[in-house]
Amino acid sequence: RLSTRLIQPDEDSRLPLVAGRPPRALLVEPSPSVRSQLAVALRQIGVDAEGVGSLGQAEDVLAMRTYELVIMEPRQPDGDGFAMLRRLKHESPLRMPVIVLSARSGILDLAKAAWAGSSGYLGKPVTLSALHATVRRVVSRHLRQQQRPPGRRNGRPAEVST
């Protein structure tokens, strides 16, 4: 369970705007109360958050709208969240970052998330400071990568073999 004590971070801790709007996050979490708590916590750092309760709903929403971040509980009522994570990371042209938020945090769970391509892993219950720090790190990295010219990796020109 996320701590419900609300703190007001200073303006410097808010994420930068994306095309004149706050960054957007999709929360894929079966529990309505956890979705609500996450949305409130993310709004504190300037992230607009929308939540869905299943993988099917997430697929529908992702087909209609773009997000800078997905936060996902891998255990879903309608399927395997890790399979969806692999599709988002490896098949989607958007390659948006995904943070796994799970009550399970064993070494096998962490390995499965890493293998599927997660950008971060948070165990439940998560502290507000850990959530904010992870989201800031992952979204900031994603936005920096989006600003790089095509053909550049890690700030250097991509190697081309002839």
Side-chain angles (χ1 to χ4, degrees):
R1 191 181 146 145
L2 182 70
S3 169
T4 56
R5 284 188 306 176
L6 299 179
I7 58 169
Q8 284 300 342
D10 59 49
E11 287 299 314
D12 293 337
S13 67
R14 298 178 74 78
L15 285 163
L17 297 178
V18 177
R21 63 163 173 77
R24 287 191 288 242
L26 178 64
L27 310 173
V28 187
E29 166 62 53
S31 167
S33 63
V34 173
R35 282 196 310 266
S36 176
Q37 291 173 357
L38 287 169
V40 168
L42 292 174
R43 285 187 187 107
Q44 290 181 330
I45 57 171
V47 177
D48 279 345
E50 300 173 5
V52 296
S54 70
L55 297 175
Q57 291 171 343
E59 295 275 359
D60 291 343
V61 172
L62 287 168
M64 295 183 293
R65 191 162 193 190
T66 60
Y67 295 86
E68 283 67 49
L69 175 66
V70 174
I71 298 178
M72 175 189 300
E73 161 64 68
R75 293 174 28 177
Q76 294 287 328
D78 62 341
D80 177 15
F82 289 124
M84 181 180 186
L85 171 56
R86 282 189 295 278
R87 283 194 309 279
L88 286 174
K89 294 301 285 189
H90 302 293
E91 296 172 16
S92 168
L94 301 175
R95 303 229 194 274
M96 72 191 80
V98 178
I99 296 173
V100 172
L101 176 66
S102 178
R104 300 178 65 160
S105 58
I107 191 72
L108 183 58
D109 301 298
L110 296 170
K112 285 168 74 174
W115 178 75
S118 72
S119 304
Y121 196 103
L122 293 167
K124 294 178 187 174
V126 63
T127 65
L128 200 54
S129 60
L131 176 68
H132 285 175
T134 301
V135 168
R136 274 191 208 101
R137 177 181 50 79
V138 168
V139 171
S140 295
R141 181 183 333 136
H142 175 68
L143 294 176
R144 280 192 308 273
Q145 289 171 345
Q146 295 292 317
Q147 293 172 351
R148 286 192 188 133
R152 293 183 72 86
R153 272 177 86 82
N154 302 325
R156 297 183 304 253
E159 294 182 24
V160 179
S161 57
T162 55

